[in-house]
Amino acid sequence: MDWGAIFNNAAGELISPTTAAYALAALGLAVHFGYTGLLNFGQAGFMALGAYGYAISILTFGFPVWGAFLVGVGASVIFALILGIPTLRLRADYLAIVTIAAAEIVRLLFTTNAFASVTGSANGLSGYKNEFAALNPLADGTYGFGPFENNAYDTWLGIVAWSIVILAALFVWQIMRSPWGRVIKGIREDEDAVRALGKNVYAYKMQSLILGGVLGTIAGMIFALPRAVVPSNYQTTLTFFIYAILLLGGAATVLGPIIGSMIFWVLLSFFSGFIARAVEAGWLPFMTVVQGSQLRFILVGVAIMLIVIFRPQGVFGNKKELAFVR
Amino acid sequence: MSVNTVPVLPTGPTGKPIKTTDLHVGEAEPGCKKRDPILVVDGVRRTFGGLTAVDVDHVEVPRGAITALIGPNGAGKTTLFNLLTGFDKPDAGKWTFDGRPIAGVPAYRVARFGQIRTFQLTKALGLLTVMDNMLLGAKGQSGENLFRALLPFLWRKQETDNQAKALDLLTRFKLDTKKNDYAASLSGGQRKLLEMARALMSDPTLVMLDEPMAGVNPALTQSLLDHILNLKAQGMTVLFVEHDMHMVRHIADWVIVMAEGKVVAEGDPHEVMKNPAVIDAYLGSHHDEDIGEDPAAEVEHVSAITELLDDER
């Protein structure tokens, strides 16, 4: 068995743009769920809006990269307003129901044949990478070393993606230690108490919903840049993976989502490489290669369960905080 | 008003708190005029389906005094509280706070006007530290704006000032040693104290306490009472809901009695207890007839009233 290749691939995931995209989406969810207590189950919808907003702006309207970026962000702000205006005055559970449904509506709208000329229907969209690649200041060739060796496009994308993640993490870290963040965390604990102290809870929840949604949208764009935009990528399972990453790292932390995303992708890549080769080598005689590729998700699930059972606050969560969880 | 000075409690020669008197104009009857009302309520009605929870024609809360709102369970006291603080919407009615009409104003704006409430079930923000709980109470923080939050130099000084003020209040409430603990680690009584201290961070003019003594052990009761008396000494007006009649008589300057959603009596705490309407409210006008009420609750009220009448002698 080629252990070297398995570990090589797994290590490569550590800093891949996809890992960055999941980290950013999980950071958005940390703002929603970890800090504000908003149960957003539609992060996949925000990501889809980012990916499609970017791709459609470039392919159909010929926008420059920054214009496409703004279209995606604008779409997610509008999406957050549509979700938030009717539901943020209600109990927390309603937001969960509405977001999970809205994310599915978004995905199905992108899948339906009615708009196939713009959205590419179930086949999705591709061929929108040139504009981003044209901004690449790096000369052709390979960069990095060992498992982190990439071509110029992937290196450029990686630099941009992780820079955005770092900036977003600093941004979230700063606002959460400010009085604004204190109000947000107060809302998570008891919004009536915060309202009684003269804070406009509704406006704060809306700001949080938009902020986390925009982070998810930018994550959607990063997620789309190494691959094609396919609607089936944005199913509710995507939201649940991001929740898994968030809980893995620690819900009300800034570093948690980032490290959680790295752990998640390294584990996923390791298990996928390991199982595929184990099946080939005949170690798992009861299993076909196709079945093996599904087994990795089961193993990742088991790994996450173990972490949640033995370290329920996540990697970076505060153990003291958890002692009081109702 | 400065929070740095702790006024000496106004107590008379017998050690009893000095009552504010001469608050009303004319007869002490339901809806009577006050010399200087801070809160004036007119025709407030709230129904839940077929049940009329609150139906108050007119009531005034005197400024600078401690007013108790009492009444049997289900009299509509907490509902009235929720209405007056913007946490619930009435079917009809108007009310003014400090001369400003605040009917239909959302709860957070009511609080900004200086009318701060606490809750019957204490709402300490468990996973925030005691200090963060306190700081949340401060008004007009520029760092609570999302964009200014990014630039700490804009709010650092205000934050330091608020921390000093919070620490001062915490010291008065004997919570200063707990300032870095999670509020969830406090006892029930300490949470009540924290909630009251937090309310004071905004320098309110009217403090509305919903059952401040519920679930507080007797040792802490006296200290809570002193804190409430202190609020008056600092020029604040207090309106509180309470079931403990001893406490009501001990600290209240004025008592408003509600029953079945209506104000049935008002007056000085010693006089009002003798009012037949109050005895009616607690015992029912036909208390010797079986009307299917919970007998245990009735016995409780009977004993409460007899206790009070005994006290009076």
Side-chain angles (χ1 to χ4, degrees):
Chain A
M1 183 171 293
D2 186 2
W3 288 103
I6 296 176
F7 283 115
N8 223 31
N9 287 341
E13 289 295 338
L14 205 57
I15 56 160
S16 80
T18 307
T19 307
Y22 274 59
L24 196 57
L27 190 63
L29 212 50
V31 171
H32 286 160
F33 175 71
Y35 288 109
T36 324
L38 297 174
L39 273 172
N40 170 20
F41 277 109
Q43 196 69 336
F46 282 103
M47 292 178 76
L49 284 175
Y52 275 97
Y54 182 84
I56 291 173
S57 302
I58 285 187
L59 293 175
T60 308
F61 301 105
F63 283 9
V65 169
W66 61 266
F69 176 82
L70 289 181
V71 167
V73 170
S76 90
V77 171
I78 293 167
F79 187 56
L81 288 172
I82 293 171
L83 292 179
I85 287 170
T87 53
L88 287 183
R89 285 185 204 281
L90 306 174
R91 234 174 40 215
D93 351 14
Y94 291 96
L95 184 72
I97 299 166
V98 168
T99 47
I100 201 168
E104 281 296 276
I105 291 170
V106 165
R107 182 177 67 84
L108 293 171
L109 280 178
F110 286 130
T111 314
T112 178
N113 282 327
F115 313 116
S117 59
V118 179
T119 63
S121 183
N123 294 326
L125 297 167
S126 57
Y128 48 79
K129 292 177 195 171
N130 294 340
E131 282 72 8
F132 181 73
L135 298 175
N136 189 352
L138 304 171
D140 275 350
T142 56
Y143 294 85
F145 59 92
F148 309 117
E149 199 171 87
N150 275 315
N151 62 26
Y153 176 81
D154 284 343
T155 309
W156 166 234
L157 178 57
I159 291 169
V160 171
W162 283 105
S163 304
I164 292 174
V165 170
I166 290 166
L167 284 177
L170 287 174
F171 176 83
V172 172
W173 176 72
Q174 174 54 35
I175 56 169
M176 287 310 167
R177 59 198 275 275
S178 76
W180 187 87
R182 187 161 60 221
V183 177
I184 285 293
K185 286 181 253 179
I187 290 170
R188 175 190 69 195
E189 297 303 313
D190 192 319
E191 58 174 84
D192 274 345
V194 176
R195 198 172 279 132
L197 294 171
K199 320 291 176 198
N200 187 352
V201 168
Y202 182 64
Y204 279 100
K205 281 162 82 174
M206 188 61 94
Q207 289 169 19
S208 164
L209 187 65
I210 291 173
L211 182 62
V214 166
L215 292 179
T217 297
I218 300 171
M221 296 180 203
I222 298 173
F223 183 67
L225 279 170
R227 51 178 66 75
V229 179
V230 184
S232 59
N233 277 346
Y234 302 97
Q235 293 179 3
T236 31
T237 41
L238 176 60
T239 303
F240 294 135
F241 284 150
I242 292 168
Y243 259 103
I245 286 170
L246 181 66
L247 298 176
L248 195 62
T253 61
V254 172
L255 277 180
I258 298 167
I259 306 298
S261 176
M262 289 175 168
I263 296 174
F264 178 85
W265 277 103
V266 168
L267 282 181
L268 198 63
S269 167
F270 172 78
F271 284 130
S272 111
F274 172 74
I275 293 163
R277 284 171 179 81
V279 171
E280 270 173 30
W283 290 10
L284 303 167
F286 49 89
M287 208 167 252
T288 66
V289 176
V290 178
Q291 286 170 329
S293 69
Q294 294 302 309
L295 183 64
R296 65 183 176 143
F297 288 110
I298 298 175
L299 290 180
V300 168
V302 170
I304 290 171
M305 276 165 68
L306 290 177
I307 292 174
V308 170
I309 290 167
F310 292 106
R311 202 172 163 78
Q313 72 274 35
V315 177
F316 286 96
N318 182 347
K319 183 90 189 176
K320 250 174 40 193
E321 214 170 287
L322 206 79
F324 303 115
V325 169
R326 288 124 332 223
Chain B
M1 166 207 51
S2 161
V3 291
N4 292 320
T5 51
V6 181
V8 181
L9 284 181
T11 48
T14 55
K16 281 192 173 176
I18 290 176
K19 295 298 182 82
T20 311
T21 50
D22 193 26
L23 295 165
H24 61 293
V25 183
E27 254 337 87
E29 57 187 11
C32 70
K33 286 239 171 302
K34 303 297 178 320
R35 288 206 189 285
D36 184 12
I38 189 167
L39 192 62
V40 181
V41 181
D42 265 307
V44 170
R45 207 160 54 79
R46 175 73 167 104
T47 55
F48 297 105
L51 176 83
T52 305
V54 167
D55 188 3
V56 173
D57 283 338
H58 184 85
V59 74
E60 299 183 0
V61 175
R63 187 191 306 272
I66 300 178
T67 305
L69 183 59
I70 66 167
N73 291 330
K77 306 180 297 288
T78 298
T79 309
L80 182 63
F81 249 53
N82 287 343
L83 292 171
L84 296 182
T85 49
F87 276 83
D88 194 3
K89 295 216 175 340
D91 301 325
K94 290 196 297 271
W95 60 98
T96 62
F97 168 66
D98 240 349
R100 181 192 274 133
I102 57 165
V105 172
Y108 74 93
R109 293 256 290 284
V110 172
R112 284 183 196 173
F113 291 149
Q115 181 186 321
I116 297 273
R117 72 168 295 180
T118 67
F119 293 87
Q120 187 173 354
L121 299 170
T122 325
K123 291 186 188 294
L125 305 166
L127 295 188
L128 261 56
T129 62
V130 169
M131 182 49 102
D132 275 348
N133 262 277
M134 292 295 289
L135 293 174
L136 206 50
K139 271 206 283 200
Q141 298 187 54
S142 60
E144 287 182 355
N145 175 296
L146 178 55
F147 299 105
R148 269 173 291 192
L150 287 171
L151 307 166
F153 60 87
L154 289 177
W155 44 264
R156 181 84 14 98
K157 187 182 175 309
Q158 194 184 23
E159 184 83 349
T160 320
D161 292 349
N162 284 339
Q163 273 168 1
K165 181 176 173 183
L167 197 60
D168 189 70
L169 275 167
L170 286 176
T171 314
R172 267 168 56 194
F173 283 81
K174 297 199 171 59
L175 288 170
D176 49 326
T177 52
K178 299 251 176 209
K179 70 183 163 84
N180 295 322
D181 292 4
Y182 283 117
S185 71
L186 299 182
S187 73
Q190 286 171 324
R191 287 183 209 192
K192 289 263 177 201
L193 288 174
L194 174 61
E195 203 184 15
M196 201 184 286
R198 188 174 67 194
L200 297 186
M201 277 298 284
S202 64
D203 298 328
T205 41
L206 172 61
V207 183
M208 297 175 66
L209 308 170
D210 197 350
E211 299 203 20
M213 295 299 154
V216 176
N217 76 52
L220 209 55
T221 309
Q222 190 54 47
S223 122
L224 257 172
L225 286 178
D226 290 347
H227 286 303
I228 295 174
L229 286 167
N230 248 328
L231 301 183
K232 183 171 86 164
Q234 289 174 36
M236 287 174 235
T237 305
V238 180
L239 174 65
F240 71 101
V241 169
E242 191 49 66
H243 280 295
D244 182 337
M245 297 299 174
H246 290 291
M247 171 190 166
V248 169
R249 280 154 37 91
H250 186 61
I251 66 167
D253 302 313
W254 191 256
V255 176
I256 297 170
V257 187
M258 281 183 78
E260 289 168 1
K262 294 184 167 61
V263 174
V264 294
E266 274 194 59
D268 165 74
H270 293 273
E271 297 304 316
V272 81
M273 302 291 182
K274 296 176 191 152
N275 189 323
V278 178
I279 297 170
D280 252 19
Y282 273 88
L283 303 179
S285 45
H286 307 286
H287 66 275
D288 45 349
E289 287 171 25
D290 182 11
I291 49 169
E293 292 256 323
D294 176 12
E298 199 160 309
V299 167
E300 205 175 287
H301 289 319
V302 173
S303 62
I305 291 283
T306 30
E307 220 173 280
L308 286 170
L309 293 175
D310 285 348
D311 254 25
E312 203 59 41
R313 283 175 205 128

